[in-house]
Amino acid sequence: MSSGRHRIASPAVSTTRRVVRSPLGFTVIAIALITLAAVAVPVGLNVLGCGDTRYLRVSATQSIAPVLREAATEFNEDRPSYGGDCVYAQVDEIAPHRIMTAVSGGRPGDSTIAPHVWVPESSAWVELARVSERGARGIETDPPSLANSPVVLAAPEGAEGLPEPEDASWTLVLPGEREPERPLVMVDPNRGADGMTVMHAVRRHLGTGDDADTAMTDFVRDVQLDSAFGEIDLGTFFTGSPAARDRVDPLIAAPEQAVVSYNSTRAQDAPALEALYPSEGTVGLDYPYVTVTDDASLEAAAADLYEVLGDDAYRTRLRELGFRDPGGRAAAGLAERPGVAAEEPPTHEDLTGDALLASVTDWNRLSMPSRALVLADTSANMADGLDGGPSRMEVARQAALTGLSLFPDETDMGLWLMSDELGERGREEAADLRELGVSGEDGDITRRQELVGVAEDITVEGGGSRLYDNVLDAFDEVQARYDEDKINSVILLTAGADEGSSDLSHEELVTALQDRFDPERPVSLFVIAFGAQAEEERLRQITAATSGSLFVTDDPDEIGDIFLSSVSRRLCVPDCDS
């Protein structure tokens, strides 16, 4: 009840009010509330008699995450306890390729994002993750599906030059089969199963052989500039703005659910979209609910969260968002949604195993050709064994041979061997930069075969690596002979330590690379370091200076995946995340 008195605020109080009402004040309050919530949840649960509070980390693809958050809220309201510990479910949206790397034991830094429950858009990611030993151990083989959505080709209704929905074919994605000005947009196959689906469909149509490879190359070069690096939001392509109306609308490969979502929320002036269902069959994205933990309490919590998701309310919510039931059947309401057909489209389950890997490999190998100078560490550190297995040198030799098999003939490649035992400059320039497919000096073997012979004979020379000096010299060499038509890079295979063997310090190397890196003529450094003893943070700073990437491994079986990953990074240079 008011006393009727009015108090004049003190200067301190007035200042506080001004700060609170300022943009900075709102930011501070928001951060404080988030922090308070993070603290309040475990504190509140402990008051209710919990021992410890644990978090069930759930990672989901963007389109299905809202339903998982709603289910997690209901799960948390029940205050579940397992073995005396309360468990609180948290849902995040993290790209499936990052989770796949984390759960399969890829880059060590990604272990912090590894979830306990993973809901990617497709079991294709699960199969890729299970290729590694860690993934095979830690990921269930037959996870249940939450929903289904076939991959379709989305275009404005009645778009010129496109067939009726029932007459669509995957040939529409090929150059020359649609209007020359109409671009095709798809997710990079390294980052989305719908992109893998397109690549697989194109390869199935084209077949194998020289002519097929040429046609596939034309396709990849045609589409790669318009490829997306994450889940596609159709609303960003069809805005209804004057600028959008003045260009030819793209044809977009996307899940059917994205078409439903777009049509229900599109801007008034934006065109309505329709889904074209390729007659050859497509792939149904199955949104598996994958338990990725062997902790008994968290496994039980994951099972209980799945039970919550099985409630009719959440099944209805998924249908409202445009998803089909797990088996691919459309609920009655889908028939009433514009732009899609309720009938189950023809699908196939061929996007598995070797075909899955081939779809990604095709994309990576047939993108812009490379120009790479490879540095192979032959210092004394390379003789050390890796966790009781082969030596670093043996793994590096395998890495070099694997890399040579993955790069196309048009690749320019050279090889330097690094050790301060190899002369005044601390290296042997074993092979200069030339195309892999051209004949060697004797004319009887190709450059690739020549380099295979060199790689097979690499041995430990001893001494220090002269790593920092050689990295800068190699960078300068590639930059001085830069090729505008190729991806220019330095690939380093190393034990990961300089140990004072260089004239340059680490700080001087990083500064020099930062000063010399030119975003208009990028030369990127890709480092594959063998063993946990590698100076990972120092190497990461070196690669970050050139928009490159670092991979640390002690498993020879990861080498192929690492090379494919490094190749796929080429598409983001010079703006790659370090």
Side-chain angles (χ1 to χ4, degrees):
M1 181 172 172
S2 174
S3 67
R5 295 180 181 178
H6 298 279
R7 185 174 57 185
I8 298 174
S10 70
V13 172
S14 298
T15 301
T16 300
R17 287 174 178 169
R18 285 196 300 272
V19 171
V20 167
R21 290 168 181 167
S22 70
L24 175 60
F26 287 124
T27 301
V28 171
I29 290 171
I31 293 173
L33 289 173
I34 291 169
T35 304
L36 179 61
V39 173
V41 168
V43 170
L45 291 175
N46 285 338
V47 168
L48 293 169
C50 300
D52 290 330
T53 299
R54 308 183 67 188
Y55 291 90
L56 180 70
R57 296 197 303 270
V58 181
S59 176
T61 193
Q62 182 178 345
S63 57
I64 206 169
V67 178
L68 285 162
R69 285 199 179 94
E70 294 168 14
T73 299
E74 179 178 334
F75 172 87
N76 294 334
E77 287 173 349
D78 288 340
R79 304 182 182 95
S81 176
Y82 303 87
D85 294 336
C86 287
V87 174
Y88 184 82
Q90 289 183 320
V91 179
D92 294 314
E93 299 171 15
I94 302 177
H97 70 281
R98 291 192 63 200
I99 299 298
M100 182 201 71
T101 302
V103 300
S104 60
R107 293 171 59 180
D110 279 341
S111 61
T112 58
I113 67 169
H116 304 117
V117 173
W118 180 28
V119 186
E121 81 274 23
S122 171
S123 292
W125 291 111
V126 181
E127 185 161 355
L128 279 176
R130 285 183 54 79
V131 168
S132 72
E133 182 180 348
R134 177 174 167 183
R137 285 199 316 266
I139 301 176
E140 57 185 313
T141 57
D142 191 22
S145 169
L146 293 180
N148 187 284
S149 191
V151 178
V152 300
L153 298 174
E157 289 182 351
E160 184 178 350
L162 295 178
E164 295 298 319
E166 63 273 12
D167 297 326
S169 166
W170 282 115
T171 58
L172 282 174
V173 305
L174 297 173
E177 295 294 329
R178 59 187 187 279
E179 291 181 73
E181 299 301 315
R182 188 183 302 284
L184 171 71
V185 176
M186 59 180 266
V187 173
D188 183 321
N190 295 283
R191 299 184 178 227
D194 34 352
M196 297 178 201
T197 298
V198 176
M199 285 295 295
H200 179 59
V202 171
R203 177 56 79 184
R204 286 179 81 212
H205 170 75
L206 295 176
T208 58
D210 292 343
D211 291 344
D213 287 346
T214 299
M216 179 63 86
T217 303
D218 288 342
F219 167 70
V220 170
R221 293 194 174 174
D222 177 65
V223 74
Q224 66 179 346
L225 294 179
D226 295 307
S227 63
F229 288 96
E231 194 168 343
I232 292 176
D233 179 359
L234 295 176
T236 63
F237 292 92
F238 304 100
T239 62
S241 67
R245 290 195 294 270
D246 289 341
R247 61 165 169 72
V248 177
D249 288 319
L251 179 69
I252 301 182
E256 177 190 64
Q257 183 273 335
V259 177
V260 176
S261 177
Y262 165 85
N263 281 337
S264 63
T265 60
R266 67 184 174 90
Q268 184 175 357
D269 295 330
L273 299 184
E274 62 182 352
L276 308 180
Y277 301 87
S279 57
E280 305 95 328
T282 184
V283 169
L285 305 181
D286 59 342
Y287 303 88
Y289 185 90
V290 189
T291 301
V292 195
T293 179
D294 56 5
D295 182 287
S297 293
L298 294 178
E299 279 186 328
D304 286 348
L305 178 59
Y306 179 73
E307 288 299 316
V308 173
L309 282 162
D311 188 88
D312 286 343
Y314 296 106
R315 298 297 182 188
T316 299
R317 183 79 176 101
L318 287 167
R319 293 165 185 156
E320 289 172 350
L321 290 176
F323 290 101
R324 293 172 179 256
D325 290 339
R329 185 181 66 84
L334 192 64
E336 302 169 4
R337 309 296 280 271
V340 297
E343 296 81 9
E344 187 175 349
T347 59
H348 58 76
E349 302 302 327
D350 292 349
L351 194 61
T352 57
D354 292 341
L356 175 65
L357 292 172
S359 70
V360 179
T361 303
D362 269 355
W363 174 272
N364 291 332
R365 292 183 64 183
L366 298 176
S367 295
M368 186 179 292
S370 301
R371 191 166 184 277
L373 180 54
V374 179
L375 307 186
D377 188 347
T378 62
S379 68
N381 285 331
M382 293 297 288
D384 294 341
L386 290 174
D387 195 24
S391 70
R392 285 170 166 164
M393 178 53 70
E394 290 174 293
V395 179
R397 190 180 298 117
Q398 180 180 334
L401 294 171
T402 299
L404 282 167
S405 71
L406 291 175
F407 286 95
D409 283 348
E410 294 77 17
T411 301
D412 287 342
M413 189 169 284
L415 176 65
W416 290 3
L417 308 180
M418 304 187 308
S419 165
D420 57 13
E421 296 291 318
L422 294 172
E424 183 178 342
R425 291 190 296 174
R427 66 174 177 267
E428 176 186 341
E429 297 180 4
D432 59 2
L433 278 163
R434 282 194 287 141
E435 275 194 10
L436 291 175
V438 300
S439 297
E441 292 180 359
D442 61 7
D444 292 328
I445 60 173
T446 65
R447 176 69 166 169
R448 185 192 304 275
Q449 293 168 319
E450 204 173 61
L451 282 173
V452 166
V454 173
E456 288 175 338
D457 292 333
I458 296 176
T459 58
V460 174
E461 299 293 337
S465 64
R466 292 285 290 270
L467 189 150
Y468 298 157
D469 289 346
N470 279 301
V471 164
L472 187 58
D473 287 348
F475 181 91
D476 289 342
E477 173 72 10
V478 177
Q479 191 174 60
R481 300 167 58 190
Y482 189 88
D483 189 332
E484 298 278 357
D485 297 321
K486 297 187 176 184
I487 297 293
N488 297 258
S489 62
V490 175
I491 300 174
L492 173 63
L493 311 177
T494 180
D498 182 271
E499 299 178 323
S501 60
S502 292
D503 294 331
L504 279 174
S505 69
H506 171 262
E507 292 74 19
E508 288 171 334
L509 172 61
V510 171
T511 299
L513 290 172
Q514 290 172 335
D515 290 343
R516 300 182 196 191
F517 182 75
D518 181 0
E520 299 300 319
R521 297 166 60 86
V523 175
S524 293
L525 177 65
F526 298 98
V527 177
I528 303 176
F530 306 105
Q533 296 79 20
E535 296 178 352
E536 184 173 347
E537 185 53 35
R538 290 187 169 218
L539 293 173
R540 200 174 299 282
Q541 292 172 15
I542 292 170
T543 59
T546 67
S547 197
S549 59
L550 167 67
F551 304 89
V552 180
T553 184
D554 56 8
D555 184 356
D557 294 333
E558 292 182 350
I559 297 300
D561 290 340
I562 286 173
F563 262 99
L564 290 178
S565 297
S566 68
V567 170
S568 71
R569 292 269 297 180
R570 302 180 315 169
L571 299 177
C572 63
V573 171
D575 301 314
C576 296
D577 296 332
S578 56

